[in-house]
Every structure is written in C-alpha cells, then in structure tokens.
Amino acid sequence: MLLPHLSRLFATSLPSLSFSNSSRLLSTSLMSVGAKASARTKATLRGVVFDMDGTLTVPVIDFPAMYREVLGPEAYAAAKKAGGGSVDILHHIEAWGPQEQRRAYEIISRFEQEGLDRLQIMPGALELCGFLDSRDIRRGLITRNVKPAVDVFHKRFGIMFSPALSREFKPYKPDPAPLLHICSTWNIPPNEVMMVGDSLKDDVVCGKRAGAFTCLLDETGQYGPHEDLEDDLRPDFKVSSLVEVFTILESHFDLAPERAQAV
C-alpha cells in the first residue's frame, strides 16, 4: 500500500493509462523482446559450399543415357533398382579392372565434354554469389565432375570458388571428406557451413554426414514434399530455385553486416 503523499505524487506525475493502452504497450514490448530473442537464436553461417552440375549450372548432361552406355541396359536397370532410383556410377567403376575403367571413363568424358559445350549458368547463381560476397560468406565447390570442367566454369562465368574440389579429390561425395576438407581449409566448423546441391544421395548426405546445414535444390519437384523424405535424407531446407536461397539465408541465419558502399 502506498503512503498518501506517494499516492498523490504518482497520481500527478504519471500519465493515466487505460487498460487498452496498457495492453498495447505490453503487446509491443513482448513483440520487441520476441524479435530480439528470435534474432539471438538464428544460426551463424560463415560459408556455403555448392555442387556444380545441376546446381550452379543448368543440367545438360543426359546421365541416364551415359549410365546405360557405361553399364549396359540390363546392368543399368539392376543398379537403378538397387539404388532406389539413383546410380552411383563412379562407385561401380571403382570395382572394375583397368581396361574396363578406361573404357568407362572415356564414355563419361565424352558426355561431360558435350555438357561443357552447352554449359549455362543457373538462374540466380551470379546474384546469390554476389550476395554471399557482400556478407563476407565464403564460397566453395564440390563436384564429381573433372577439374578441367571446373576450370571452364570459372573462366566462362567469371566467378571463383575456393576451394573447388573435383572428383580427383577422393573420397568424393557422398563421403563427407571433401566438405570437411573445405571447412578445415577455411578454419570454420561444419555447423557454420551450408551444403547446397540437387542430389539427395550425394549433396545432402555429404552435408549431413559432415554436420553442416543442407539445402536441396529440387527444380522439378522430383523428390516430392520435404516432409515425406526419409530422416537420413531429409535436408534442412528445400528450394525449387537458387533465388529462394536468399530468403532462407536471411530468415534463418545471423548474417554478417552488408559492406558499406564506397562513396
């Protein structure tokens, strides 16, 4: 209970607050606290690692045709069934003898060269790279393609990824080794890095095994709803275009401040 003189002091010095005004002030305060708490709970992101074919570039290689020519129609059908619809062609080739491997890699190289002749940058890729650069977020690349293809990509589109690991780096995706190598090179823990790619069994599995955030690029919806994916294959995020990655980054991560433009 307030003493009489204190009661008068409060009555004359404080503005009267109706219940509705008090409610609005409380609501505003809670919203402010909630927003600050939300900002504090956002994860840190200091690096993004991309797949190349089908992620940074428009898919142009006819992989089913390549696999059929390498394995033969019957073996390809059996491998596809055993792999749940996907085929790890490099894994199959590793078990072959030198002569068979040579023939297989010649076929693969022909298809990859045809793909390079028609190489196109994925819509939104250049803008996304510029956004990452403006926030001082590192950019890396992991591909099961060969190093000359990575060199052509860098030169043709004028953007560099470092490190950029091709299939000469072994073990390759879905083993987490290449992603962990990039994290070690950057001196950034995997839980502050995101792996972005268009393959569940290569890119997403690689990222999850390394302990990184994962984002699946599913342009055609071939993988179905995000919630229907198996737990060990379910990415943290699923997008239908690289443009959607902007929203994910800004909504879920505490990004570094944008660089001030020079006057």
Side-chain angles (χ1 to χ4, degrees), residues 9-10 18 27-28 48 54 64-66 71 75 81 83 102 118 121-122 129 138-139 147 181 184 191 210 217 221 263:
L9 176 62
F10 274 84
S18 67
S27 175
T28 302
V48 178
M66 181 175 72
L71 298 174
K81 183 177 180 180
R102 191 179 308 109
R118 296 176 288 145
I121 193 77
M122 184 68 79
C129 289
R138 302 279 195 101
R139 292 186 282 109
K147 185 179 183 301
H181 173 80
S184 176
N191 63 355
L217 173 61
V263 179

Side-chain angles (χ1 to χ4, degrees), residues 69-234:
E69 187 170 342
V70 171
L71 298 174
E74 292 184 2
Y76 168 62
K80 187 176 180 181
K81 183 177 180 180
S86 64
V87 176
D88 188 339
I89 192 69
L90 299 181
H91 177 74
H92 280 277
I93 294 172
E94 282 183 340
W96 295 355
Q99 189 171 348
E100 290 177 301
Q101 284 189 359
R102 191 179 308 109
R103 181 194 68 85
Y105 282 121
E106 286 175 356
I107 295 171
I108 292 173
S109 295
R110 188 179 78 244
F111 274 86
E112 290 175 339
Q113 183 56 53
E114 291 172 357
L116 285 178
D117 294 340
R118 296 176 288 145
L119 195 64
Q120 301 175 55
I121 193 77
M122 184 68 79
L126 292 174
E127 293 81 0
L128 180 55
C129 289
F131 174 80
L132 295 176
D133 290 348
S134 74
R135 300 303 179 100
D136 289 324
I137 297 174
R138 302 279 195 101
R139 292 186 282 109
L141 184 151
I142 302 174
T143 179
R144 286 159 61 103
N145 209 322
V146 292
K147 185 179 183 301
V150 176
D151 294 339
V152 170
F153 170 79
H154 282 158
K155 184 176 181 180
R156 184 170 301 179
F157 301 113
I159 49 176
M160 296 293 295
F161 293 79
S162 180
L165 304 181
S166 56
R167 71 166 171 258
E168 288 81 2
F169 183 99
K170 295 182 180 180
Y172 30 69
K173 299 180 296 184
D175 193 287
L179 183 51
L180 291 174
H181 173 80
I182 290 179
C183 292
S184 176
T185 301
W186 286 343
N187 195 27
I188 296 175
N191 63 355
E192 295 183 2
V193 172
M194 178 186 285
M195 179 74 207
V196 180
D198 67 322
S199 170
L200 276 180
K201 293 193 174 182
D202 287 337
D203 305 314
V204 172
V205 171
C206 173
K208 290 175 78 72
R209 288 178 178 174
F213 290 100
T214 53
C215 180
L216 175 68
L217 173 61
D218 185 10
E219 283 193 293
T220 62
Q222 64 173 316
Y223 293 113
H226 181 250
E227 58 273 13
D228 291 349
L229 297 173
E230 299 176 20
D231 289 342
D232 60 338
L233 294 175
R234 187 180 297 131

